[in-house]
Coordinates of all heavy atoms in Angstrom, one line a residue:
E296 N 0.7 -1.3 0.0 CA 0.0 0.0 0.0 C 0.8 1.3 0.0 O 0.6 2.1 -0.7 CB -0.9 0.1 1.2 CG -1.7 1.1 1.4 CD -2.8 1.2 0.3 OE1 -3.3 0.3 -0.2 OE2 -3.2 2.3 0.0
R297 N 1.8 1.2 0.9 CA 2.7 2.5 0.9 C 3.6 2.7 -0.4 O 3.6 3.7 -0.9 CB 3.8 2.4 2.1 CG 3.0 2.5 3.4 CD 4.1 2.5 4.5 NE 3.4 2.6 5.7 CZ 3.9 2.5 7.0 NH1 5.3 2.2 6.9 NH2 3.3 2.4 8.0
Q298 N 4.0 1.5 -0.9 CA 4.8 1.6 -2.2 C 3.8 2.1 -3.3 O 4.3 3.1 -4.1 CB 5.3 0.3 -2.5 CG 6.1 0.2 -3.8 CD 7.4 0.9 -3.7 OE1 8.0 1.0 -2.7 NE2 7.9 1.6 -4.7
R299 N 2.6 1.7 -3.4 CA 1.7 2.3 -4.4 C 1.4 3.7 -4.2 O 1.4 4.4 -5.2 CB 0.4 1.5 -4.4 CG -0.5 1.7 -5.5 CD -2.0 1.4 -5.3 NE -2.6 2.2 -4.1 CZ -3.0 3.4 -4.2 NH1 -2.8 4.1 -5.2 NH2 -3.5 4.1 -3.1
A300 N 1.3 4.2 -3.0 CA 1.0 5.4 -2.7 C 2.3 6.4 -3.2 O 1.9 7.4 -3.7 CB 0.6 5.8 -1.3
L301 N 3.5 5.9 -2.8 CA 4.6 6.6 -3.2 C 4.8 6.7 -4.6 O 5.1 7.8 -5.2 CB 5.9 5.9 -2.4 CG 7.3 6.6 -2.7 CD1 7.3 8.0 -2.2 CD2 8.3 5.8 -2.1
E302 N 4.6 5.6 -5.4 CA 4.7 5.6 -6.8 C 3.6 6.7 -7.3 O 4.0 7.3 -8.3 CB 4.5 4.3 -7.4 CG 5.7 3.3 -7.1 CD 5.5 1.9 -7.5 OE1 4.5 1.6 -8.2 OE2 6.3 1.0 -7.2
A303 N 2.4 6.6 -6.8 CA 1.4 7.4 -7.4 C 1.7 8.9 -7.2 O 1.6 9.7 -8.1 CB 0.1 7.2 -6.6
N304 N 2.3 9.2 -6.0 CA 2.7 10.6 -5.7 C 3.9 11.0 -6.6 O 3.9 12.2 -7.1 CB 3.0 10.8 -4.2 CG 3.0 12.3 -4.0 OD1 1.9 12.9 -3.8 ND2 4.1 12.9 -3.7
N305 N 4.8 10.1 -6.8 CA 5.9 10.4 -7.8 C 5.5 10.7 -9.2 O 6.0 11.7 -9.8 CB 7.0 9.4 -7.7 CG 7.8 9.3 -6.5 OD1 7.8 10.2 -5.8 ND2 8.4 8.1 -6.1
N306 N 4.5 9.9 -9.7 CA 3.9 10.2 -10.9 C 3.2 11.6 -11.0 O 3.3 12.4 -12.0 CB 2.9 9.1 -11.3 CG 3.8 7.8 -11.6 OD1 4.9 7.9 -11.9 ND2 3.0 6.7 -11.5
L307 N 2.5 12.0 -9.9 CA 1.8 13.1 -9.8 C 2.8 14.3 -9.8 O 2.6 15.3 -10.4 CB 0.9 13.2 -8.7 CG -0.4 12.3 -8.7 CD1 -1.0 12.2 -7.2 CD2 -1.3 12.8 -9.7
A308 N 3.9 14.1 -9.1 CA 4.9 15.1 -9.0 C 5.6 15.3 -10.3 O 5.8 16.5 -10.7 CB 6.0 14.7 -8.0
A309 N 5.8 14.3 -11.1 CA 6.4 14.5 -12.5 C 5.4 15.2 -13.3 O 5.9 16.1 -14.2 CB 6.7 13.1 -13.1
A310 N 4.1 15.0 -13.2 CA 3.2 15.7 -13.9 C 3.1 17.2 -13.6 O 2.9 18.1 -14.5 CB 1.8 15.1 -13.7
Q311 N 3.2 17.4 -12.3 CA 3.3 18.9 -11.9 C 4.6 19.6 -12.4 O 4.5 20.7 -12.8 CB 3.3 19.0 -10.3 CG 2.1 18.5 -9.6 CD 0.9 19.2 -10.0 OE1 1.0 20.5 -10.1 NE2 -0.2 18.7 -10.1
A312 N 5.6 18.9 -12.5 CA 6.9 19.5 -13.0 C 6.6 19.8 -14.5 O 7.0 20.9 -15.1 CB 8.0 18.6 -12.9
D313 N 6.0 18.9 -15.2 CA 5.7 19.1 -16.7 C 4.8 20.3 -16.8 O 5.0 21.2 -17.8 CB 5.1 17.8 -17.3 CG 6.0 16.7 -17.5 OD1 7.2 16.8 -17.5 OD2 5.5 15.6 -17.8
A314 N 3.8 20.4 -16.0 CA 2.9 21.5 -16.0 C 3.6 22.9 -15.7 O 3.2 23.9 -16.4 CB 1.8 21.4 -15.0
L315 N 4.6 22.9 -15.0 CA 5.3 24.1 -14.8 C 6.5 24.3 -15.7 O 7.4 25.2 -15.6 CB 5.9 24.2 -13.3 CG 4.7 24.2 -12.2 CD1 5.4 24.1 -10.9 CD2 4.1 25.6 -12.4
K316 N 6.6 23.4 -16.7 CA 7.7 23.3 -17.8 C 9.1 23.2 -17.0 O 10.0 23.8 -17.6 CB 7.6 24.7 -18.4 CG 6.3 24.7 -19.4 CD 6.2 26.0 -20.2 CE 5.0 26.0 -21.2 NZ 3.7 25.8 -20.5
D317 N 9.1 22.5 -16.0 CA 10.4 22.2 -15.3 C 11.0 20.9 -16.0 O 10.3 19.9 -16.2 CB 10.3 22.1 -13.8 CG 9.9 23.5 -13.2 OD1 10.4 24.5 -13.7 OD2 9.1 23.5 -12.2
R318 N 12.4 20.8 -15.9 CA 13.0 19.5 -16.4 C 13.2 18.5 -15.3 O 13.4 17.4 -15.7 CB 14.3 19.9 -17.0 CG 14.3 20.7 -18.4 CD 15.6 21.0 -18.9 NE 16.4 19.9 -19.1 CZ 17.8 19.9 -19.0 NH1 18.4 21.0 -18.8 NH2 18.4 18.7 -19.2
F319 N 13.2 18.9 -14.1 CA 13.4 18.0 -13.1 C 12.3 18.1 -12.0 O 11.6 19.3 -11.9 CB 14.7 18.3 -12.4 CG 15.9 17.9 -13.3 CD1 16.5 19.0 -14.1 CD2 16.5 16.7 -13.4 CE1 17.5 18.7 -14.9 CE2 17.5 16.4 -14.3 CZ 18.0 17.5 -15.2
V320 N 12.1 17.0 -11.3 CA 11.2 17.2 -10.1 C 11.9 17.6 -8.9 O 13.0 17.1 -8.6 CB 10.6 15.6 -9.8 CG1 9.7 15.6 -8.6 CG2 9.7 15.3 -11.1
S321 N 11.2 18.5 -8.2 CA 11.9 19.0 -7.0 C 10.8 19.0 -5.8 O 9.7 18.6 -6.1 CB 12.5 20.4 -7.3 OG 11.5 21.3 -7.5
A322 N 11.3 19.5 -4.7 CA 10.3 19.5 -3.5 C 9.0 20.1 -3.7 O 8.0 19.7 -3.3 CB 11.0 20.2 -2.3
E323 N 9.0 21.3 -4.5 CA 7.6 21.9 -4.8 C 6.7 21.1 -5.6 O 5.5 21.1 -5.4 CB 7.9 23.3 -5.4 CG 8.6 23.3 -6.8 CD 9.9 23.8 -6.7 OE1 10.7 23.5 -5.6 OE2 10.4 24.5 -7.5
H324 N 7.3 20.3 -6.4 CA 6.4 19.5 -7.3 C 5.8 18.3 -6.4 O 4.7 17.9 -6.7 CB 7.2 18.8 -8.5 CG 7.9 19.9 -9.3 ND1 9.3 20.0 -9.4 CD2 7.3 20.7 -10.0 CE1 9.6 20.9 -10.1 NE2 8.4 21.5 -10.6
I325 N 6.7 17.8 -5.5 CA 6.1 16.7 -4.6 C 5.0 17.3 -3.7 O 4.0 16.7 -3.5 CB 7.2 16.3 -3.8 CG1 8.3 15.5 -4.6 CG2 6.8 15.2 -2.7 CD1 9.5 15.0 -4.0
L326 N 5.2 18.6 -3.2 CA 4.1 19.2 -2.4 C 2.9 19.4 -3.2 O 1.8 19.3 -2.8 CB 4.6 20.5 -1.7 CG 5.7 20.4 -0.6 CD1 6.1 21.7 -0.2 CD2 4.9 19.7 0.5
L327 N 3.1 20.0 -4.5 CA 1.9 20.2 -5.3 C 1.2 18.8 -5.6 O 0.0 18.9 -5.6 CB 2.3 20.9 -6.6 CG 2.9 22.3 -6.6 CD1 3.5 22.7 -7.8 CD2 1.6 23.2 -6.4
A328 N 1.9 17.8 -5.8 CA 1.2 16.5 -6.0 C 0.4 16.1 -4.8 O -0.6 15.6 -5.0 CB 2.4 15.5 -6.3
M329 N 1.0 16.4 -3.7 CA 0.3 15.9 -2.4 C -1.0 16.7 -2.3 O -2.0 16.4 -1.7 CB 1.1 16.2 -1.2 CG 2.2 15.2 -1.1 SD 3.2 15.6 0.3 CE 4.6 14.5 0.1
L330 N -1.0 17.9 -2.7 CA -2.2 18.9 -2.7 C -3.1 18.9 -3.8 O -4.2 19.4 -3.8 CB -1.6 20.4 -2.5 CG -1.0 20.6 -1.2 CD1 -0.3 22.0 -1.1 CD2 -2.1 20.6 0.0
S331 N -2.7 18.0 -4.8 CA -3.6 17.9 -6.0 C -4.9 17.1 -5.7 O -4.9 16.4 -4.8 CB -2.9 17.3 -7.1 OG -2.7 15.9 -6.9
D332 N -5.8 17.3 -6.6 CA -7.1 16.6 -6.3 C -6.8 15.0 -6.5 O -7.4 14.2 -5.8 CB -8.1 16.9 -7.5 CG -8.7 18.3 -7.3 OD1 -8.6 18.8 -6.2 OD2 -9.1 18.9 -8.3
E333 N -5.9 14.7 -7.3 CA -5.5 13.2 -7.5 C -4.8 12.8 -6.2 O -5.1 11.6 -5.8 CB -4.5 13.1 -8.7 CG -5.2 13.4 -10.0 CD -5.0 14.8 -10.4 OE1 -4.7 15.6 -9.6 OE2 -5.4 15.1 -11.5
G334 N -4.0 13.6 -5.5 CA -3.4 13.2 -4.3 C -4.4 13.0 -3.2 O -4.3 12.0 -2.4
E335 N -5.3 13.9 -3.2 CA -6.4 13.6 -2.2 C -7.3 12.4 -2.5 O -7.5 11.7 -1.5 CB -7.5 14.8 -2.4 CG -8.5 14.8 -1.3 CD -8.0 14.9 0.2 OE1 -7.0 15.5 0.4 OE2 -8.9 14.6 1.1
R336 N -7.5 12.2 -3.8 CA -8.3 10.9 -4.2 C -7.6 9.7 -3.9 O -8.2 8.7 -3.5 CB -8.5 11.1 -5.7 CG -9.4 9.8 -6.2 CD -9.6 9.9 -7.6 NE -8.4 9.4 -8.2 CZ -7.8 10.2 -9.3 NH1 -8.4 11.2 -9.9 NH2 -6.6 9.8 -9.8
D337 N -6.1 9.8 -4.0 CA -5.4 8.5 -3.8 C -5.0 8.4 -2.3 O -4.3 7.5 -2.0 CB -4.1 8.7 -4.6 CG -4.3 8.4 -6.1 OD1 -5.3 8.0 -6.5 OD2 -3.4 8.7 -6.9
R338 N -5.6 9.3 -1.5 CA -5.5 9.3 0.0 C -4.1 9.3 0.4 O -3.6 8.6 1.3 CB -6.2 8.0 0.5 CG -7.6 7.9 0.1 CD -8.2 6.7 0.8 NE -9.7 6.7 0.5 CZ -10.7 7.1 1.1 NH1 -10.5 7.7 2.2 NH2 -11.9 6.9 0.7
V339 N -3.3 10.3 -0.2 CA -1.9 10.5 0.2 C -2.1 11.1 1.6 O -2.7 12.2 1.8 CB -1.2 11.5 -0.8 CG1 0.2 11.8 -0.3 CG2 -1.1 10.8 -2.2
R340 N -1.5 10.5 2.6 CA -1.6 10.9 3.9 C -1.2 12.4 4.1 O -1.8 13.2 4.9 CB -0.9 10.1 4.9 CG -1.6 8.7 5.2 CD -0.8 7.9 6.1 NE -1.4 6.7 6.2 CZ -1.0 5.7 7.0 NH1 0.0 5.8 7.9 NH2 -1.5 4.5 7.1
A341 N -0.1 12.8 3.5 CA 0.5 14.1 3.7 C -0.5 15.1 3.2 O -0.5 16.2 3.6 CB 1.9 14.2 3.0
S342 N -1.3 14.7 2.2 CA -2.2 15.7 1.8 C -3.2 16.1 2.8 O -3.5 17.4 2.8 CB -3.1 15.0 0.5 OG -4.1 15.8 0.1
A343 N -3.6 15.3 3.6 CA -4.6 15.5 4.7 C -3.9 16.4 5.7 O -4.5 17.4 6.2 CB -5.1 14.4 5.4
V344 N -2.7 16.2 5.9 CA -1.9 16.9 6.9 C -1.7 18.4 6.4 O -2.0 19.3 7.2 CB -0.6 16.3 7.4 CG1 0.3 17.2 8.1 CG2 -0.8 15.0 8.0
L345 N -1.3 18.5 5.2 CA -1.0 19.9 4.7 C -2.4 20.6 4.6 O -2.3 21.8 4.9 CB -0.4 19.7 3.2 CG 1.0 19.0 3.3 CD1 1.4 18.8 1.8 CD2 2.0 20.0 4.0
R346 N -3.3 20.1 4.1 CA -4.7 20.7 4.0 C -5.2 21.1 5.5 O -5.8 22.1 5.6 CB -5.8 19.9 3.4 CG -5.4 19.7 1.8 CD -6.3 18.9 1.1 NE -5.9 18.4 -0.1 CZ -6.5 19.0 -1.3 NH1 -7.2 19.9 -1.1 NH2 -6.1 18.6 -2.4
G347 N -4.8 20.2 6.5 CA -5.3 20.5 7.8 C -4.7 21.8 8.4 O -5.2 22.3 9.3
V348 N -3.5 22.1 7.9 CA -2.8 23.3 8.5 C -3.1 24.6 7.5 O -2.5 25.5 7.7 CB -1.3 23.2 8.7 CG1 -1.0 22.1 9.7 CG2 -0.6 22.8 7.4
G349 N -4.1 24.3 6.7 CA -4.5 25.4 5.7 C -3.8 25.6 4.4 O -4.0 26.5 3.7
L350 N -2.8 24.7 4.0 CA -2.2 24.8 2.7 C -2.9 24.3 1.7 O -3.6 23.2 1.7 CB -0.8 24.2 2.9 CG 0.1 24.4 1.6 CD1 0.3 25.8 1.4 CD2 1.3 23.5 1.8
T351 N -3.1 25.0 0.6 CA -3.9 24.5 -0.6 C -2.9 24.7 -1.8 O -1.7 25.2 -1.8 CB -5.1 25.4 -0.9 OG1 -4.7 26.7 -1.3 CG2 -6.1 25.5 0.4
K352 N -3.4 23.9 -2.8 CA -2.5 24.0 -4.1 C -2.5 25.4 -4.5 O -1.3 25.9 -5.0 CB -3.1 23.1 -5.1 CG -2.3 22.9 -6.4 CD -2.9 21.9 -7.4 CE -2.1 21.9 -8.6 NZ -2.6 20.9 -9.6
D353 N -3.6 26.1 -4.5 CA -3.6 27.5 -5.1 C -2.6 28.4 -4.2 O -1.9 29.2 -4.8 CB -5.0 28.0 -5.0 CG -5.7 27.4 -6.2 OD1 -5.3 26.8 -7.1 OD2 -7.0 27.4 -6.0
L354 N -2.6 28.3 -3.0 CA -1.8 29.1 -2.0 C -0.3 28.8 -2.4 O 0.5 29.6 -2.5 CB -2.0 28.8 -0.6 CG -3.2 29.5 0.0 CD1 -3.4 29.0 1.4 CD2 -2.9 31.0 0.1
L355 N 0.0 27.5 -2.6 CA 1.4 27.1 -2.8 C 1.8 27.6 -4.2 O 3.0 28.1 -4.4 CB 1.5 25.6 -2.7 CG 3.0 25.0 -3.0 CD1 3.9 25.7 -2.1 CD2 2.9 23.5 -2.9
L356 N 0.9 27.5 -5.2 CA 1.4 27.9 -6.6 C 1.5 29.5 -6.5 O 2.4 30.0 -7.2 CB 0.1 27.6 -7.6 CG 0.1 26.2 -8.0 CD1 -1.2 25.9 -8.8 CD2 1.4 25.9 -9.0
S357 N 0.6 30.1 -5.6 CA 1.0 31.6 -5.5 C 2.2 32.0 -5.0 O 2.9 32.9 -5.5 CB -0.3 32.2 -4.8 OG -0.2 33.6 -4.6
A358 N 2.6 31.3 -3.9 CA 3.8 31.4 -3.2 C 5.0 31.1 -4.1 O 6.1 31.8 -4.3 CB 4.0 30.6 -1.9
L359 N 4.9 30.1 -5.0 CA 6.0 29.7 -5.9 C 6.2 30.7 -7.0 O 7.3 31.1 -7.4 CB 5.7 28.3 -6.5 CG 5.8 27.2 -5.6 CD1 5.3 25.8 -6.3 CD2 7.3 26.9 -5.2
A360 N 5.0 31.3 -7.5 CA 5.0 32.3 -8.5 C 5.8 33.5 -8.0 O 6.6 34.1 -8.7 CB 3.7 32.7 -9.0
E361 N 5.6 33.8 -6.8 CA 6.3 35.0 -6.2 C 7.7 34.7 -5.9 O 8.6 35.6 -6.2 CB 5.5 35.4 -4.8 CG 6.1 36.6 -4.2 CD 5.3 37.0 -3.0 OE1 4.1 36.7 -2.9 OE2 6.0 37.6 -2.0
L362 N 8.0 33.6 -5.5 CA 9.5 33.2 -5.2 C 10.2 32.9 -6.5 O 11.4 33.4 -6.5 CB 9.5 32.1 -4.2 CG 9.2 32.1 -2.8 CD1 9.0 30.9 -2.2 CD2 10.0 33.2 -2.1
R363 N 9.7 32.2 -7.4 CA 10.5 31.8 -8.6 C 10.5 32.7 -9.7 O 11.3 32.7 -10.5 CB 9.8 30.4 -9.1 CG 10.1 29.2 -8.2 CD 9.4 28.0 -8.6 NE 9.5 27.7 -10.1 CZ 9.3 26.5 -10.6 NH1 9.0 25.5 -9.9 NH2 9.4 26.3 -11.8
G364 N 9.3 33.5 -9.7 CA 9.2 34.4 -11.0 C 9.2 33.5 -12.2 O 8.4 32.6 -12.4
N365 N 10.0 33.8 -13.1 CA 10.1 33.0 -14.4 C 11.1 32.0 -14.3 O 11.4 31.3 -15.5 CB 10.5 33.9 -15.6 CG 9.3 34.9 -15.8 OD1 8.2 34.6 -15.6 ND2 9.6 36.2 -16.3
Q366 N 11.8 31.6 -13.3 CA 12.7 30.6 -13.1 C 12.1 29.3 -13.4 O 11.0 29.0 -12.8 CB 13.5 30.7 -11.8 CG 14.4 31.9 -11.7 CD 15.1 32.0 -10.4 OE1 14.8 31.4 -9.5 NE2 16.2 32.7 -10.4
R367 N 12.9 28.4 -13.9 CA 12.5 26.9 -14.1 C 13.4 26.0 -13.3 O 14.7 26.4 -13.2 CB 12.4 26.6 -15.4 CG 11.4 27.5 -16.4 CD 9.9 27.0 -16.0 NE 9.1 28.0 -16.7 CZ 8.3 28.8 -16.1 NH1 8.2 28.9 -14.8 NH2 7.4 29.5 -16.8
V368 N 13.0 24.9 -13.1 CA 13.9 23.9 -12.4 C 14.5 23.1 -13.6 O 13.9 22.2 -14.3 CB 13.2 22.8 -11.6 CG1 14.1 21.8 -11.0 CG2 12.5 23.5 -10.5
D369 N 15.8 23.5 -14.0 CA 16.4 23.0 -15.1 C 17.7 22.4 -14.8 O 18.4 22.0 -15.8 CB 16.6 24.0 -16.3 CG 17.4 25.4 -15.8 OD1 17.9 25.4 -14.7 OD2 17.5 26.2 -16.6
T370 N 18.0 22.2 -13.5 CA 19.2 21.4 -13.1 C 18.8 20.5 -12.0 O 17.7 20.6 -11.4 CB 20.3 22.4 -12.6 OG1 19.9 22.9 -11.3 CG2 20.7 23.6 -13.5
E371 N 19.7 19.4 -11.8 CA 19.3 18.5 -10.8 C 19.5 19.1 -9.4 O 18.9 18.4 -8.4 CB 20.3 17.3 -10.9 CG 20.0 16.4 -12.1 CD 20.8 15.3 -12.2 OE1 21.2 14.7 -11.2 OE2 21.2 14.9 -13.2
E372 N 20.1 20.2 -9.3 CA 20.3 20.8 -8.0 C 19.8 22.4 -8.0 O 20.6 23.2 -7.8 CB 21.8 20.8 -7.6 CG 22.3 19.2 -7.3 CD 23.7 19.2 -7.0 OE1 24.3 20.1 -6.6 OE2 24.3 18.0 -7.1
P373 N 18.5 22.5 -8.0 CA 18.1 23.9 -8.0 C 18.2 24.6 -6.7 O 18.3 23.8 -5.6 CB 16.5 23.8 -8.5 CG 16.1 22.5 -7.9 CD 17.4 21.6 -8.1
E374 N 18.3 25.9 -6.7 CA 18.4 26.6 -5.3 C 17.0 26.9 -4.8 O 16.1 26.8 -5.4 CB 19.0 28.0 -5.7 CG 20.5 27.8 -6.1 CD 21.1 29.2 -6.1 OE1 20.9 30.1 -5.4 OE2 22.1 29.2 -6.9

């Protein structure tokens, strides 16, 4: 069960990276995956915890836009 959930979240994170036009998956993509509707549907435990403290996908995307601007994750070790 845990392995399936981890694989599902990794796939969702890769999809989030693609949506943001990033070449590599990084921490923000993993968080976005956990907060996605699919993450909620797949019952990713961290999704419930993050939502429980008030974090939403929209709030995270807004913060990322402010922090990242036009920057993309195009190296394996982004800042």
Side-chain angles (χ1 to χ4, degrees):
E296 177 70 27
R297 287 183 188 173
Q298 182 65 31
R299 186 199 63 74
L301 181 58
E302 288 174 12
N304 199 68
N305 286 343
N306 291 336
L307 291 171
Q311 294 296 323
D313 288 344
L315 292 173
K316 297 179 176 55
D317 292 325
R318 291 181 51 209
F319 297 92
V320 173
S321 62
E323 61 257 37
H324 304 115
I325 294 168
L326 287 172
L327 286 167
M329 290 176 189
L330 292 167
S331 70
D332 291 337
E333 295 88 352
E335 182 71 21
R336 184 187 67 228
D337 290 343
R338 299 181 187 269
V339 175
R340 285 186 189 179
S342 175
V344 172
L345 294 170
R346 290 174 192 264
V348 296
L350 186 59
T351 66
K352 184 177 177 184
D353 288 341
L354 280 172
L355 182 57
L356 282 170
S357 177
L359 288 173
E361 187 175 322
L362 291 170
R363 286 174 48 160
N365 292 330
Q366 293 181 341
R367 300 285 176 246
V368 180
D369 58 4
T370 66
E371 290 184 34
E372 297 179 13
E374 291 185 32

